Amino acid sequence: MTRLSSKAGTKGVPRAARERQVLAAATEEFGRHGYEATTVAAVAARVGVTKPLVHQYFGSKQDLYLACLNPIGDRLLEAIRAAMAAGDTDGPPTPLRVLHGLFTALDGQREAWFVLYDASLPPDSDAADRAAYYRGAIDDLAAIGTADLVHADGAGDPLDADALKHAWRGLCTALVRWWINHPDQTPEAMAQRCARLFAVGRGVLGTGGGDSGSPSEPSAPTS
C-alpha cells in the first residue's frame, strides 16, 4: 500500500479529500493491527496531519472505526446479495460468484475484511455491535447459500449446513489473507484461482454436482 507523505499539510487540501485520506489510512491501520492496537495518532501520522484534526473530522477512535466499517459492511453485503441473485446455469456456481464479488468489493482495500472481522473490538461497544450486525447479515446470507448446497447434494443432517457455513467463513478469511500477501493478484485472477482449487477439491473428494459443484472445469467470472 502507498504510504501518504508525512509532509502533507492541511492547507490547500479540500476537507472531503482529506477525509478520504484519513479513512483510507485508518482502514489499513485497523485492518492490519486491529482496533485495540490502532491509535488515532498513528492514523494522523500516516496522513501527515495532526491528531486533533482527525478528532475534529471524525470524533473519537470508535467514531473513526465506524466511519471505516459502515461503507465496508454495506459494500460487502451488496456484493454478496448481487452474486447470490445472479443465478445462471451457464455461468459459474454461486460460491465462485460470491468470492468474485468479495474480491471485487475489497479491491484496493484488502485489509478492510479484517476491519469487519476484528477480535479486539471492545465488548458491548457500539463498534462491536455494528460489526456484529454486519457479520450476522453476512452469516444469514451464507446460511441460505450453504443450506441450498447441502439440500441439492441430498444431505440429511441439518447441522451439515451450519458446519459448512462456518467452514465457508474461514475459507473466505484465509483467501483474503493470502490475497493481501500477493498484491499482484487481481479479483479476476483470484476468482479463476478459486475455480481451479474447487476443481482440485472435487477431484480429491471424488464428487461432481450441480450448483454445489459446478462442471468439472468451472469457469470464473470474467467481469
Side-chain angles (χ1 to χ4, degrees):
M1 294 291 180
T2 301
R3 192 178 183 88
L4 297 168
S5 172
S6 61
K7 297 180 180 180
T10 57
K11 293 182 179 180
V13 179
R15 174 164 177 164
R18 185 64 82 199
E19 287 180 350
R20 287 193 295 271
Q21 290 177 339
V22 172
L23 287 176
T27 296
E28 190 169 338
E29 287 290 312
F30 285 127
R32 285 186 173 184
H33 307 298
Y35 182 91
E36 185 175 359
T38 295
T39 65
V40 175
V43 173
R46 284 181 60 90
V47 182
V49 298
T50 64
K51 178 180 173 181
L53 182 73
V54 176
H55 284 303
Q56 177 187 339
Y57 283 2
F58 293 98
S60 67
K61 173 180 166 179
Q62 178 171 250
D63 293 330
L64 178 60
Y65 169 83
L66 290 171
C68 296
L69 172 68
N70 287 323
I72 293 162
D74 291 340
R75 195 162 68 240
L76 289 173
L77 280 175
E78 181 180 358
I80 295 170
R81 287 170 178 151
M84 293 179 68
D88 185 348
T89 55
D90 295 328
T94 300
L96 286 177
R97 291 199 308 271
V98 170
L99 285 170
H100 182 262
L102 290 179
F103 296 138
T104 300
L106 292 169
D107 196 29
Q109 283 190 315
R110 301 181 186 188
E111 291 86 356
W113 179 264
F114 299 101
V115 174
L116 175 58
Y117 291 95
D118 185 345
S120 72
L121 296 173
D124 302 320
S125 64
D126 289 344
D129 290 346
R130 190 61 177 169
Y133 161 76
Y134 283 117
R135 293 175 189 173
I138 291 173
D139 277 353
D140 288 344
L141 292 172
I144 294 171
T146 53
D148 288 345
L149 294 178
V150 169
H151 177 74
D153 199 50
D157 190 337
L159 287 179
D160 286 352
D162 187 62
L164 183 57
K165 179 188 74 174
H166 283 76
W168 175 255
R169 184 198 304 156
L171 175 64
C172 291
T173 297
L175 287 170
V176 171
R177 195 179 299 280
W178 186 90
W179 191 34
I180 289 172
N181 292 327
H182 295 80
D184 59 317
Q185 297 293 296
T186 66
E188 289 71 25
M190 284 298 296
Q192 291 165 7
R193 187 176 307 281
C194 290
R196 294 194 297 273
L197 293 177
F198 283 14
V200 169
R202 283 194 304 278
V204 170
L205 297 175
T207 59
D211 196 46
S212 59
S214 62
S216 58
E217 292 295 334
S219 61
T222 57
S223 61

